[in-house]
Amino acid sequence: MGLYQYYLLSVMLLLPALCHSHYPFTYSRATYYGSPDCLGTATGACGFGEYGRTVNDANVAGVSRLWKNGTGCGACYQVRCKVPQLCTDYGVYVVVTDYGEGDKTDFILSPRAYGRMALPDKSAELYSYGVVNVEFQRVPCWYKGYNLQFKVHENSRYPHYLAIAILYVAGQNDVLAVEIWQADCREWVAMRRAFGAVFDISSPPEGAISLRFQVSGSAGLTWVVANNAIPSDWKAGVAYESEIQLK
C-alpha cells in the first residue's frame, strides 16, 4: 500500500468516530515515549497487558489530567498537532492505555501515534520537536469486528482471587463500577477497583461468573449485565468474549 493510500485509509477509519463526537477541542501539548518497536507498552498502568500494547494498531497514549483515577482507561481521543507545515488536519485517533506525566502535556503518545499526526514524509521532523502543541477532543471508540471482552488479569489466582479488566469498550463510555453475582446470597457484590481498569475480588463464587458493570456515556448512567461472562474454569491471562457491543 502506498503512503497516500495509507493516509486515505486512516482518514476513512477515523471518520465514523469523529462524525459522532459532541466534545469541543481543547488546547494542550503532547509528547511521545521511547519504544523499540514504536508500539504501546504491555505494562501500562491501566492493566490491559498485551491489549494495551497493540489495540487500535498501537495508536495509544498515557494521560495524566484525563486519567480520572483509572476511569479514563480505554477512552478514545482525536489528537492533532498545531504545526501546519508538518501536521495533518485530522491528526490521530488514540486509546488511553497508561498513565503518564510530561512537560505540561495531556498526552504521552506511543511513537507510532505521534508520528501519525504528521504529513507524509514529515514524521522525522515532527519527532525532532519532542513536545508539540496539540488540540484534542473525546470521540467514540470503534472496534470493528470485536465484542466487549472480559480479561482475567495475570495476577488472578484460581480459584481464590479474581481480577478482571474490560476490553473493547465501544462508544463514549466510562466504566465506573463492576459487580459480581453471588448466587448463594442472591445479590450483586461490588468488586474493588484495584488499579487502572482492573477490578478484583477475593474468594469469587464457584461456577460460571456473572458480572454487571456501570457505565457513564451518551445514554447516561446505566448498568450492563453479562450473564456467565467468565467460565467456571477461568484462567489468568485469558480474555473471554461476550455478545455485548456498547454504543
Side-chain angles (χ1 to χ4, degrees):
M1 182 184 292
L3 190 57
Y4 174 78
Q5 292 174 302
Y6 169 79
Y7 275 92
L8 182 59
L9 177 60
S10 297
V11 176
M12 293 173 63
L13 292 174
L14 187 62
L15 283 177
L18 302 188
C19 291
H20 293 87
S21 175
H22 303 292
Y23 289 79
F25 278 97
T26 300
Y27 288 94
S28 184
R29 284 152 56 89
T31 185
Y32 63 96
Y33 54 81
S35 170
D37 53 12
C38 294
L39 306 182
T41 172
T43 58
C46 287
F48 288 145
E50 183 64 15
Y51 171 89
R53 193 176 80 89
T54 59
V55 67
N56 193 39
D57 197 26
N59 293 304
V60 297
V63 297
S64 53
R65 185 164 60 95
L66 302 170
W67 174 252
K68 297 185 288 187
N69 196 34
T71 303
C73 288
C76 296
Y77 293 90
Q78 179 192 10
V79 184
R80 55 192 191 191
C81 56
K82 302 298 292 179
V83 185
Q85 67 272 24
L86 299 181
C87 303
T88 66
D89 292 334
Y90 50 85
V92 66
Y93 168 82
V94 298
V95 180
V96 173
T97 59
D98 200 358
Y99 179 90
E101 296 182 9
D103 180 14
K104 299 179 181 179
T105 61
D106 275 304
F107 293 90
I108 301 181
L109 302 171
S110 66
R112 177 171 292 182
Y114 187 91
R116 285 182 177 170
M117 293 191 296
L119 291 164
D121 301 322
K122 296 294 184 180
S123 58
E125 193 171 348
L126 187 63
Y127 283 126
S128 70
Y129 274 58
V131 180
V132 67
N133 291 329
V134 299
E135 60 181 10
F136 68 89
Q137 66 171 342
R138 179 83 182 264
V139 295
C141 297
W142 185 63
Y143 301 110
K144 185 178 181 180
Y146 288 94
N147 292 339
L148 184 141
Q149 296 182 9
F150 298 95
K151 181 189 175 182
V152 178
H153 192 269
E154 288 80 359
N155 290 348
S156 299
R157 299 185 303 277
Y158 182 86
H160 305 293
Y161 171 74
L162 174 64
I164 66 162
I166 303 177
L167 312 182
Y168 298 108
V169 178
Q172 296 185 36
N173 295 293
D174 296 329
V175 177
L176 304 182
V178 179
E179 295 183 345
I180 192 168
W181 177 249
Q182 293 275 14
D184 54 349
C185 301
R186 300 197 60 79
E187 66 179 1
W188 291 101
V189 176
M191 299 181 74
R192 177 184 70 118
R193 186 185 290 273
F195 64 94
V198 177
F199 293 82
D200 69 358
I201 190 170
S202 297
S203 302
E206 297 179 356
I209 303 292
S210 293
L211 300 167
R212 73 173 184 175
F213 56 98
Q214 187 183 51
V215 296
S216 174
S218 57
L221 205 60
T222 58
W223 285 95
V224 181
V225 177
N227 291 316
N228 302 322
I230 299 174
S232 58
D233 58 345
W234 51 266
K235 295 177 174 58
V238 176
Y240 298 97
E241 185 170 7
S242 73
E243 297 182 354
I244 298 170
Q245 283 192 338
L246 299 180
K247 296 180 180 179

